[in-house]
Amino acid sequence: MSSPPRRERSTFASKSLPLRRLRADSGAILAQDALSDLTEAEINSIVPPSPIYKIVMTGGPCGGKTTCLERLSNYLRERGFEVITCPEAFTLMVSNGMPFDYLGAVAGMPTIVQDTVMDIQIGLEDGFERLLRARGKPGVLLCDRGLMDGAAYMSEEEWEKLIKKRDVDSVSELREGRYNAVYHMVTAAEGAEQFYTLENNEVRTETPELARQLDHRTRKAWVGHPNLKIFDNSTSFEKKLQRVVEEMSRLVGLPHCLERVTTKFLVRGEPDLDLFPEDVTYQIFEVEKVCFSDWCRFELDLSCIVG
């Protein structure tokens, strides 16, 4: 059994710990005066000695998420990783007694339901992540859907109202600020229609057409995450699962056969966004790069568009 790769440790002031969300490449060292009253598990939960990766598995109905979660869990455990799967919050609510007619029972109920889904999802994710950190070994948290998925089931106005109510300054806090990668499994209703079924999920009620719509809305919700990967149905389902495993291997530093090239374009001027096709989703963001050399320091501000 091969051992997972470990990352080099870094340092930062202990007073910043409550405000800093440690990512997979973090490995800070606490000041000595902060260690005396803490157990090993408590120290690990604050400053994990090994990388912890947090991955969202999302997609349209009948895309293969459940099967893929099981495949990834077994694959990573066999290679020395601690793995916990975070269940989908909405499914938990329905399977524990919340009927679907709650969504239309009272005006404004869909927003309350999605707000509750987000509360449950945050609690589950943060709790499981804390356990993985405390364990002190390389770990992976596989999330069955993530916080941005709610945007696919609400209008833009309802979603904006919800995140404003929750004092979210930017959706990046719910997206790249929270997850290392997002793996989107395209619904079988798009490209593998003969395999689309409602029989393997008691919560699933969508027609193939609705499944395709929800799939596209979910993809749109996650546009902007730098590590969003789309797994379509251009191959067999087994090959689809293998492609996900290859991406995961690349992310966590395991041997893999995947070759991927990121293409960037240098444009002569600012593009006219009014000319973009309506079906092209894009995000605009600012990038600041600080460059050092032996003789100078300079900053470069860039406006970037990703779609």
Side-chain angles (χ1 to χ4, degrees):
M1 179 183 297
S2 59
S3 298
R6 299 177 69 89
R7 298 291 184 91
E8 187 174 329
R9 299 171 74 88
S10 59
T11 61
F12 63 91
S14 60
K15 64 181 181 181
S16 69
L17 286 172
L19 302 177
R20 182 183 177 104
R21 182 170 191 84
L22 296 177
R23 303 300 298 274
D25 56 357
S26 300
I29 301 175
L30 280 170
Q32 288 298 316
D33 59 1
L35 298 176
S36 57
D37 296 327
L38 298 178
T39 65
E40 181 181 359
E42 288 173 325
I43 294 172
N44 289 345
S45 67
I46 300 171
V47 189
S50 300
I52 303 297
Y53 300 91
K54 192 172 181 181
I55 315 300
V56 173
M57 292 296 304
T58 186
C62 196
K65 286 193 299 94
T66 302
T67 304
C68 194
L69 284 168
E70 183 178 356
R71 174 74 64 89
L72 288 174
S73 296
N74 294 333
Y75 176 83
L76 292 166
R77 288 192 182 103
E78 289 171 356
R79 286 153 182 81
F81 285 88
E82 298 292 320
V83 182
I84 295 180
T85 300
C86 184
E88 181 182 359
F90 184 78
T91 299
L92 283 177
M93 292 164 61
V94 172
S95 61
N96 283 279
M98 188 196 81
F100 276 102
D101 59 15
Y102 268 37
L103 292 168
V106 181
M109 197 66 178
T111 300
I112 297 297
V113 170
Q114 289 299 334
D115 195 20
T116 304
V117 167
M118 196 172 288
D119 283 338
I120 295 172
Q121 195 76 28
I122 290 172
L124 288 170
E125 289 180 8
D126 289 353
F128 286 140
E129 183 179 359
R130 185 185 182 198
L131 288 174
L132 285 172
R133 287 165 171 258
R135 181 65 179 87
K137 297 177 63 178
V140 178
L141 179 59
L142 298 173
C143 302
D144 189 344
R145 299 199 179 275
L147 298 185
M148 289 299 297
D149 277 71
Y153 297 86
M154 308 175 71
S155 68
E156 291 187 14
E157 294 76 17
E158 290 172 331
W159 175 251
E160 291 294 333
K161 182 178 179 180
L162 175 60
I163 62 175
K164 182 178 180 180
K165 171 189 173 184
R166 300 184 67 94
D167 295 324
V168 177
D169 294 328
S170 171
V171 291
S172 62
E173 298 174 21
L174 311 179
R175 199 175 55 206
E176 61 267 29
R178 188 170 179 87
Y179 307 102
N180 296 99
V182 180
Y183 295 162
H184 180 102
M185 307 286 284
V186 174
T187 174
E190 183 174 304
E193 291 82 355
Q194 67 272 31
F195 298 109
Y196 185 78
T197 179
L198 305 177
E199 297 178 358
N200 57 352
N201 188 327
E202 62 180 10
V203 179
R204 185 180 301 141
T205 59
E206 302 87 353
T207 63
E209 177 58 31
L210 180 56
R212 287 189 287 270
Q213 293 176 11
L214 291 173
D215 191 283
H216 294 166
R217 289 175 61 86
T218 303
R219 270 185 261 182
K220 180 179 178 180
W222 288 102
V223 167
H225 196 293
N227 207 12
L228 168 63
K229 309 299 181 185
I230 310 296
F231 300 94
D232 60 17
N233 299 301
S234 58
T235 63
S236 67
F237 184 63
E238 178 59 31
K239 289 286 184 63
K240 184 179 183 180
L241 296 179
Q242 290 176 11
R243 284 152 53 202
V244 181
V245 171
E246 285 289 307
E247 276 289 356
M248 179 65 73
S249 298
R250 182 190 62 81
L251 178 70
V252 302
L254 291 172
H256 61 91
C257 302
L258 185 68
E259 294 184 4
R260 179 175 293 274
V261 177
T262 299
T263 304
K264 298 182 180 180
F265 300 92
L266 179 63
V267 296
R268 291 192 176 96
E270 184 176 348
D272 185 351
L273 300 181
D274 291 334
L275 300 179
F276 273 44
E278 293 184 359
D279 59 344
V280 174
T281 303
Y282 60 87
Q283 293 279 338
I284 303 175
F285 56 93
E286 299 292 327
V287 176
E288 179 181 292
K289 291 190 176 182
V290 180
C291 305
F292 293 89
S293 72
D294 294 337
W295 54 273
C296 73
R297 174 185 185 274
F298 63 92
E299 296 185 5
L300 178 64
D301 290 323
L302 302 172
S303 291
C304 298
I305 298 177
V306 62

